[in-house]
Amino acid sequence: IASMQAQLNEANEKATYIKNMSEELVESNQAARESEKAIREKMLKNQAILDEALTASESLKEELDLKQRLIDESAATIASQKEIIERMRVAADEMQRSNLDL
């Protein structure tokens, strides 16, 4: 009977150990699920932030492209005006020489 009692006690200890380990695993699984959920939420927030940054970047690129076109157009206008001024200077020089010849 003592031997059977010892085996029963040992079996009870093992069962208690297994039960405790099982409870710890359940708690650990729950914590892992909660952690995974929090990570997913952070990833979604980060994705939203990245999407906003991409949209802002695209808008900025469009604005910079527009400004570059304006700069290019201004440079072309300035070059054209310089050419007109040079022609006017040449014409004025020719008129001055013509007037001197008179």
Side-chain angles (χ1 to χ4, degrees), residues 23-98:
E23 288 173 355
E24 286 180 24
L25 283 173
V26 168
E27 290 172 7
S28 177
N29 268 347
Q30 182 62 32
R33 276 190 227 108
E34 290 172 5
S35 176
E36 183 180 352
K37 181 181 176 186
I39 289 170
R40 268 195 218 117
E41 288 173 0
K42 284 183 181 181
M43 287 175 61
L44 289 173
K45 286 179 185 176
N46 286 343
Q47 185 61 48
I49 291 169
L50 287 173
D51 290 345
E52 283 183 37
L54 179 60
T55 300
S57 175
E58 289 169 349
S59 294
L60 182 58
K61 184 184 180 316
E62 289 172 5
E63 185 178 336
L64 289 173
D65 288 346
L66 176 61
K67 287 181 179 182
Q68 184 60 51
R69 276 184 296 203
L70 291 173
I71 289 170
D72 293 345
E73 289 173 10
S74 294
T77 301
I78 290 170
S80 174
Q81 289 174 344
K82 281 183 177 180
E83 186 178 324
I84 291 169
I85 290 170
E86 179 58 24
R87 284 191 218 152
M88 290 174 67
R89 189 189 62 75
V90 168
D93 287 349
E94 287 178 10
M95 284 177 60
Q96 189 173 14
R97 270 186 255 133
S98 169

Side-chain angles (χ1 to χ4, degrees), residues 4-20:
M4 290 174 91
Q5 186 64 37
Q7 287 177 348
L8 183 59
N9 285 342
E10 186 179 331
N12 280 337
E13 287 176 11
K14 286 181 180 178
T16 301
Y17 175 78
I18 290 171
K19 179 185 171 204
N20 290 340

